[in-house]
Amino acid sequence: MNAFPVTRLRRLRRTETLRALVREHRLSLDDVVMPLFACPGEGVVRPVEGLDGIAQRSVDEIVREASGLASAGIRAVLLFGIPEEKDEEGSGAWEADGIVQRALRALRAEVPGLTLVTDVCLCEYTSHGHCGVLRDGEVDNDDTLELLARTAVSHVEAGADVVAPSDMMDGRVGAIREALPNVPIIAYAAKYASAFYGPFREVAESAPAFGDRRGYQMDPPNVREALRECALDLEEGADAVMVKPALPYLDVIRAVRDRFDCPVAAYNVSGEYAMVKAAAAAGHLDERAAALESLVAIKRAGADLVFTYWAKDLARWL
């Protein structure tokens, strides 16, 4: 490359048209997934404090919201459920008439072109709020696997296109793959024990009643361990792997992208969304500009698809 003044990189930055012509990464509605939260009742839209625009919705309102998302160009949603009752094992997760199962059947009938992804975990359904069954006060990894597989099967029977286990139990991808040989699995492979989940735990009503999840979610300082987690999940039959959260772990997304040839997902979590929302509400920054910059950073790091609460806004902005 010739040095200045022959080389002037600013020449291609002079106008928006020129910048667009040479832009290296682009946001597309094809690449985003919108999380939705199904709750009991009818006509229920229960906003969540701190998560502007996000709400718990009854099945009829989930259908209404998803129809609008599909019309706006959103191609996929991720479903979470808030059950009427919880128990020690989280049995509401796999009931045929559970909240997610009802939402899936309604969405399959009313919004047939939408790709339906389900979060497979027990934390929203257990009375103690942990992601598996307890034995002597500890989450029992192996006893949880059958229940996760049972949950995944019930989701597919109700209409799910993709299942996404988020529990971080060892071996859960293999258990689900054995039960569902032909269904895509997006594994939450590198899910960190993060401070950025707070708002989500409010909307999903899934905060642990005691202790924390550091015994099964990943330790934030570790990167090589994330690569091992991804490798194991792929060996067990995952079709794609996810890094969660996204923004504090852009280096992990890049490391996963460089190591593996599979699709890589990233979850732009509730705390990341809430921070920008709060700063914008206080007049400290422009939400649209900050959100777009955040999302393109996730793509630039190597994510093929992004789970984000900004999906609906992105449809309008783009």
Side-chain angles (χ1 to χ4, degrees):
M1 179 182 292
N2 292 317
F4 175 85
V6 175
T7 299
R8 293 177 181 265
L9 296 183
R10 285 184 57 191
R11 285 191 288 253
L12 291 176
R13 303 174 193 155
R14 189 167 54 86
T15 68
E16 172 55 31
T17 303
L18 283 170
R19 291 191 295 272
L21 282 172
V22 297
R23 193 158 287 148
E24 297 175 26
H25 297 87
R26 300 177 188 274
L27 294 173
S28 168
L29 295 183
D30 292 342
D31 304 334
V32 298
V33 182
M34 178 70 182
L36 295 175
F37 299 89
C39 70
E42 187 173 345
V44 177
V45 179
R46 188 177 298 120
V48 181
E49 185 177 356
L51 283 181
D52 183 43
I54 307 303
Q56 296 178 349
R57 289 179 164 86
S58 53
V59 171
D60 57 320
E61 293 294 341
I62 284 275
V63 170
R64 186 193 307 274
E65 179 73 359
S67 296
L69 292 170
S71 297
I74 302 297
R75 296 178 177 270
V77 297
L78 173 66
L79 284 175
F80 296 91
I82 297 93
E84 294 182 18
E85 297 180 355
K86 304 187 179 194
D87 59 32
E88 285 290 308
E89 286 197 326
S91 62
W94 61 82
E95 287 179 348
D97 198 37
I99 186 63
V100 166
Q101 290 80 355
R102 296 201 302 272
L104 284 166
R105 286 192 289 269
L107 287 168
R108 181 56 65 223
E110 300 295 331
V111 198
L114 198 63
T115 295
L116 305 179
V117 186
T118 60
D119 180 85
V120 177
C121 193
L122 303 182
C123 62
E124 298 110 289
Y125 304 91
T126 54
S127 53
H128 46 76
H130 280 284
C131 300
V133 293
L134 299 182
R135 299 287 184 260
D136 300 322
E138 298 282 342
V139 175
D140 190 301
N141 187 99
D142 295 7
D143 283 357
T144 300
L145 300 184
E146 179 188 352
L147 305 184
L148 293 169
R150 192 185 305 179
T151 299
V153 169
S154 75
H155 288 177
V156 171
E157 289 175 343
D161 299 295
V162 183
V163 293
S166 65
D167 54 284
M168 288 301 287
M169 298 297 115
D170 292 336
R172 89 276 204 211
V173 171
I176 294 170
R177 175 54 70 219
E178 184 176 0
L180 296 169
N182 298 313
V183 175
I185 298 173
I186 300 176
Y188 288 65
K191 181 179 180 180
Y192 286 85
S194 173
F196 290 89
Y197 300 149
F200 169 87
R201 289 178 179 174
E202 294 298 320
V203 64
E205 300 179 8
S206 63
F210 65 91
D212 55 39
R213 295 177 178 146
R214 293 181 180 274
Y216 42 100
Q217 294 179 356
M218 281 190 57
D219 195 22
N222 295 355
V223 179
R224 295 191 300 272
E225 184 185 5
L227 299 178
R228 294 183 70 191
E229 287 281 9
C230 290
L232 288 168
D233 283 355
L234 291 168
E235 288 172 8
E236 290 177 21
D239 300 285
V241 292
M242 182 192 293
V243 176
K244 181 181 180 181
L247 292 175
Y249 298 91
L250 295 176
D251 62 317
V252 180
I253 297 171
R254 170 47 55 190
V256 172
R257 171 72 291 147
D258 288 344
R259 178 70 65 89
F260 303 104
D261 291 329
C262 68
V264 176
Y267 201 135
N268 177 218
V269 301
S270 60
E272 300 167 38
Y273 174 86
M275 285 194 304
V276 173
K277 284 282 188 181
H284 297 317
L285 50 75
D286 178 88
E287 181 192 348
R288 178 182 182 276
L292 291 174
E293 187 174 344
S294 297
L295 293 171
V296 82
I298 297 167
K299 292 285 292 180
R300 192 178 66 242
D304 298 294
L305 59 156
V306 182
F307 291 69
T308 178
Y309 301 97
W310 272 304
K312 186 176 181 179
D313 291 322
L314 190 62
R316 175 166 49 86
W317 294 334
L318 293 182

